[in-house]
Amino acid sequence: MKCSSFRLPEDVMIDIFLRLEVKNLARLRCVCKSWNTLLTSKTFVEIHLNQSMRNPRPLLFRHGISPSYLGFYSTKCKEFEDLCDPPFRTQLADLDVVGSCNGVLCFCSNGSDRSLIYLWNPLIKKYMTLPRPSLNPRYLGFGVNSVSGHLDDFKVVYSLRSNSWKNIAYGFPRSIEINRSHINSSVFLNGSVHWCARFSCYHDNSCPWLIVSFDFAKEIFQTVMMPYDLSTDDADKYLNVFDGYLCVFATIPNNTFRSYELWVMKEYGLTESWTKLYTIEKPQRIWWPLGFTERGKIFIRGECRHGGYGLLVYNPHSDTFKCIGVHLPYYAIQVLNFVESIIEPVSQSLILSRS
């Protein structure tokens, strides 16, 4: 279909389109060829993504049970916004989320076989199923090659630009074990995916903690140590991103009740720049931080006043907890930083790391 002969200047059209929700932009692509060309152009997609990155949204994924749940929570509106069910056959209850990047989610099958992997943009309802790797991946990470010039150059570790898996010369360090837990997934920041890890000392609890990263552009693994105060204890640790900084939640050992410290790396890659921001104390033995709200508060899974476990929001400035009325079964919730985009996951190339 051709649009009307009366056409606004392109910069005016872009300004109008940037004010619309992603789901409406997806519909407008069908109006006429010129609108579709503009809305799928590299210029518009990049401007739209940069605008969205200033306002990431917390995405909650309740998994491992049926029914599972995937949706946004707004602390401003104090309500949930459900996302549509994924279009692929596998149910959410049978999936783990690997990560979120540029508006695209990466899922893999849970359990012993993790070779079924999907990429999905839930706002424009586009997805692709990755070809199964010849090896069952032990660890997974998801991100984008930020220096390639392609916003959709997604990579799954183990480039989405030939639809095939690629072996890299130097695999995952053999002397290191990634700390796998129900909430300790990989974290993407500064063009690299990061995992919380520990040197392999078998049953020696004094083995140092560290962070392993994979640079998608250079295709190399790198390491950086945890804060010195956290490097050798046996307490739980979870990675996240806070206000653009790599951060770690760490359990305070030898405490009557479980408490956490929040540390941030002020200068990326520099061990000496680790800084402790908060100490969070809650008189419960079983609770843990999950991630951050859009206003810098902290999502926590813990016990609410009604006696069951639910989702709480912690305000570090007032040192208060507030239950937001979401029932959570044990070990079944993740919080992701999600950026809205109109990027479609399409076939490119994949990296396979042998461990």
Side-chain angles (χ1 to χ4, degrees):
M1 180 186 296
K2 292 185 178 180
C3 291
S4 169
S5 57
F6 173 75
R7 297 181 62 180
L8 294 172
E10 184 173 293
D11 59 335
V12 176
M13 294 294 296
I14 289 177
D15 184 65
I16 294 172
F17 287 148
L18 287 174
R19 300 169 188 268
L20 303 178
E21 295 182 358
V22 170
K23 60 183 179 181
N24 292 327
L25 292 177
R27 297 191 187 103
L28 290 176
R29 287 179 52 185
C30 303
V31 172
C32 62
K33 185 180 294 185
S34 62
W35 283 19
N36 179 66
T37 300
L38 176 59
L39 291 172
T40 56
S41 67
K42 181 179 178 181
T43 298
F44 181 79
V45 172
E46 185 171 358
I47 293 173
H48 181 271
L49 180 63
N50 289 335
Q51 175 178 277
S52 298
M53 283 183 169
R54 294 194 289 267
N55 298 289
R57 305 176 67 187
L59 179 66
L60 276 66
F61 178 42
R62 188 178 75 175
H63 58 99
I65 61 166
S66 184
S68 292
Y69 169 84
L70 183 69
F72 298 109
Y73 178 78
S74 171
T75 53
K76 180 179 180 180
C77 301
K78 298 180 180 179
E79 62 183 13
F80 282 95
E81 176 188 340
D82 290 338
L83 283 174
C84 60
D85 292 330
F88 28 88
R89 291 183 178 181
T90 310
Q91 296 182 349
L92 281 176
D94 300 320
L95 294 172
D96 288 333
V97 63
V98 179
S100 169
C101 182
N102 286 5
V104 174
L105 300 172
C106 179
F107 290 94
C108 72
S109 49
N110 56 29
S112 58
D113 182 7
R114 295 165 60 84
S115 63
L116 184 59
I117 304 170
Y118 301 101
L119 301 185
W120 177 41
N121 184 328
L123 298 185
I124 63 173
K125 302 180 181 180
K126 298 291 185 180
Y127 84 100
M128 70 170 293
T129 304
L130 273 57
R132 286 180 180 263
S134 57
L135 299 175
N136 184 30
R138 187 177 181 185
Y139 307 125
L140 286 169
F142 176 63
V144 67
N145 181 355
S146 56
V147 301
S148 69
H150 300 281
L151 299 176
D152 59 350
D153 190 7
F154 296 110
K155 295 178 182 288
V156 181
V157 178
Y158 239 102
S159 125
L160 224 66
R161 299 202 79 80
S162 69
N163 200 30
S164 61
W165 290 92
K166 171 186 175 184
N167 285 314
I168 58 175
Y170 300 99
F172 192 88
R174 294 184 179 275
S175 60
I176 294 173
E177 287 288 330
I178 285 179
N179 178 33
R180 292 181 61 179
S181 72
H182 53 286
I183 62 172
N184 200 36
S185 58
S186 57
V187 170
F188 179 75
L189 180 69
N190 291 344
S192 298
V193 64
H194 306 75
W195 297 271
C196 184
R198 201 169 192 178
F199 284 106
S200 302
C201 301
Y202 300 98
H203 300 294
D204 185 354
N205 291 336
S206 64
C207 292
W209 287 87
L210 71 162
I211 295 170
V212 178
S213 64
F214 181 80
D215 188 310
F216 285 116
K218 298 178 181 178
E219 297 186 1
I220 58 173
F221 286 96
Q222 298 172 306
T223 61
V224 63
M225 297 304 297
M226 288 277 188
Y228 178 77
D229 291 357
L230 312 177
S231 61
T232 58
D233 63 67
D234 198 36
D236 293 334
K237 295 171 180 63
Y238 312 123
L239 289 183
N240 215 299
V241 175
F242 175 69
D243 198 24
Y245 296 107
L246 188 65
C247 70
V248 59
F249 287 106
T251 308
I252 301 175
N254 302 321
N255 199 295
T256 304
F257 297 104
R258 180 175 292 192
S259 301
Y260 284 90
E261 293 176 344
L262 174 61
W263 292 72
V264 298
M265 181 179 281
K266 288 291 189 177
E267 187 173 342
Y268 181 75
L270 185 62
T271 303
E272 293 77 11
S273 69
W274 282 110
T275 304
K276 184 169 69 172
L277 284 189
Y278 309 124
T279 298
I280 311 171
E281 296 183 343
K282 184 172 176 58
Q284 292 180 10
R285 290 188 178 276
I286 302 176
W287 68 276
W288 50 82
L290 299 170
F292 300 94
T293 73
E294 66 270 35
R295 297 190 173 189
K297 298 177 183 179
I298 301 172
F299 283 114
I300 286 174
R301 181 206 179 275
E303 188 174 349
C304 292
R305 291 181 179 178
H306 55 70
Y309 284 95
L311 189 64
L312 299 92
V313 172
Y314 171 71
N315 186 332
H317 302 293
S318 61
D319 192 27
T320 56
F321 297 84
K322 184 176 181 180
C323 185
I324 58 177
V326 180
H327 174 67
L328 298 175
Y330 199 60
Y331 291 176
I333 187 71
Q334 285 178 269
V335 177
L336 304 167
N337 287 323
F338 185 84
V339 174
E340 296 185 356
S341 83
I342 53 176
I343 296 175
E344 293 188 27
V346 294
S347 299
Q348 297 165 43
S349 71
L350 305 165
I351 294 178
L352 174 64
S353 169
R354 297 176 182 269
S355 59

